[in-house]
């Protein structure tokens, strides 16, 4: 019953965000077209790099396109759901108006994560599907049912990690007033997820695998579609995502105890 209640609440939040965005329909359409344009520009660096070589760190052009596809999809999640919602809650904390969220008969973390959504970012899903289709056409193959199922499970893990990192970042707003730079830093770091994790070496590769798991978000799902992801890595990825969710929940509850309202 609780799950159904929260799914209904999510539907209400989505409908409210869509109605708000469509108040100005021309702007809504233009924002969607611009998003499609920026989505395809993510491929340009690949054309530049692969114009001089056939593979990079063991990844050919078609395989790297799969990583870009996942990067495009998750960019839609990050910029369409995570970033605007967390920006809103930071404003609530700064102005002391988070009380209006806390007094509602629903979990506060769920409410802040779904408070503000940008529907036109959903076109990134379409752009990603086009990139996936183009990549598999170049590779001359199609993903198996098992590979698709595994990659969908990793999509849940990637989205959970994105929201968890966002919650960990926004929890800092309970202790310091401005965290804008942290948000911008995280978005800049996420840009590295457009490349396979094998491109990076040493400490950077360790950080992008275990601290800020960019590999889990784009490289592992791409490997899952290709059918080359080890089962042990798949299981550890799901376990790691669950740990991030639990850690962000714990930090959020402790940070909430530091909140002092405006009243």
């Amino acid at each position: 019953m609780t799950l159904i209640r929260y799914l209904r609440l999510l539907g209400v939040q989505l409908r409210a965000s869509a109605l708000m965005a469509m108040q100005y329909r021309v702007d809504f359409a233009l924002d969607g077209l611009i998003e499609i344009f920026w989505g395809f520009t993510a491929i340009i660096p690949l054309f530049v790099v692969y114009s001089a070589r056939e593979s990079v760190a063991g990844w050919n052009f078609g395989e790297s396109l799969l990583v870009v596809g996942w990067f495009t999809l998750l960019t839609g999640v990050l910029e369409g759901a995570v970033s605007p919602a967390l920006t809103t809650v930071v404003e609530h904390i700064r102005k002391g108006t988070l009380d209006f969220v806390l007094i509602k008969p629903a979990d506060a973390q769920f409410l802040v994560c779904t408070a503000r959504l940008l529907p036109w970012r959903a076109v990134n899903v379409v752009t990603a599907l086009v990139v996936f289709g183009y990549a598999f056409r170049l590779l001359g193959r199609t993903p198996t049912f098992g590979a698709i199922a595994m990659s969908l499970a990793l999509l849940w893990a990637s989205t959970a990690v994105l929201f968890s990192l966002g919650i960990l970042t926004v929890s800092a707003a309970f202790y310091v007033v401005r965290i804008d730079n942290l948000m911008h830093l995280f978005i800049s770091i996420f840009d590295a997820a457009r490349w396979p994790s094998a491109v990076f070496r040493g400490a950077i590769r360790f950080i992008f695998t275990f601290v800020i798991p960019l590999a889990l978000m784009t490289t592992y799902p791409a490997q899952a579609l290709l059918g080359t992801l080890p089962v042990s890595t798949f299981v550890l990825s799901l376990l790691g995502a669950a740990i991030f969710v639990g850690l962000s929940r714990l930090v959020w509850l402790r940070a909430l105890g530091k909140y002092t309202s405006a009243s």
Side-chain angles (χ1 to χ4, degrees):
M1 290 297 291
T2 302
L3 177 62
I4 295 175
R5 176 169 172 255
Y6 276 93
L7 286 176
R8 287 177 177 171
L9 184 55
L10 177 60
V12 171
Q13 299 276 56
L14 284 171
R15 190 162 55 251
S17 296
L19 290 174
M20 186 177 296
M22 294 183 68
Q23 289 182 97
Y24 306 99
R25 297 185 180 181
V26 174
D27 290 346
F28 182 84
L30 285 176
D31 286 333
L33 291 174
I34 291 172
E35 195 61 26
I36 291 174
F37 170 77
W38 284 117
F40 283 109
T41 58
I43 303 175
I44 294 176
L46 285 188
F47 281 106
V48 175
V49 170
Y50 283 95
S51 63
R53 62 194 71 187
E54 291 187 356
S55 68
V56 176
W59 288 71
N60 63 33
F61 181 67
E63 292 167 344
S64 293
L65 272 179
L66 292 177
V67 178
V68 172
W70 283 102
F71 171 78
T72 303
L73 197 159
L74 290 178
T75 297
V77 175
L78 176 63
E79 297 182 354
V82 179
S83 183
L86 298 184
T87 300
T88 300
V89 74
V90 169
E91 286 299 314
H92 277 311
I93 296 170
R94 187 180 301 164
K95 296 176 181 176
T97 55
L98 191 63
D99 313 45
F100 299 113
V101 177
L102 298 178
I103 61 175
K104 292 179 180 177
D107 183 76
Q109 185 176 343
F110 175 85
L111 290 176
V112 300
C113 287
T114 59
R116 187 185 172 199
L117 304 168
L118 303 180
W120 59 84
R121 300 289 186 183
V123 299
N124 281 282
V125 176
V126 178
T127 305
L129 291 176
V130 172
V131 173
F132 288 149
Y134 181 52
F136 277 108
R137 183 181 178 185
L138 291 177
L139 293 169
R141 53 186 291 193
T142 55
T144 64
F145 177 78
I148 294 174
M150 188 179 286
S151 62
L152 288 177
L154 288 175
L155 174 60
W156 167 83
S158 303
T159 305
V161 169
L162 263 182
F163 271 101
S164 298
L165 289 174
I167 287 295
L168 290 172
T169 304
V170 81
S171 294
F174 288 96
Y175 301 92
V176 295
V177 178
R178 299 192 67 87
I179 61 166
D180 308 59
N181 292 335
L182 283 178
M183 294 294 294
H184 292 311
L185 176 63
F186 173 67
I187 292 174
S188 299
I189 292 175
F190 180 73
D191 196 60
R194 72 175 68 226
W195 300 101
S197 60
V199 170
F200 304 101
R201 291 285 184 272
I204 294 180
R205 185 171 182 176
F206 178 84
I207 291 172
F208 286 171
T209 302
F210 299 104
V211 182
I212 305 174
L214 300 183
L216 185 156
M217 298 179 193
T218 57
T219 301
Y220 294 168
Q223 286 183 288
L225 281 178
L226 291 167
T228 59
L229 183 70
V231 174
S232 58
T233 303
F234 172 71
V235 173
L236 288 174
S237 297
L238 297 183
L239 180 62
I243 292 173
F244 263 92
V245 171
L247 177 64
S248 66
R249 179 67 176 176
L250 180 64
V251 172
W252 165 261
L253 292 176
R254 290 182 65 87
L256 206 56
K258 299 291 183 181
Y259 173 67
T260 54
S261 70
S263 59

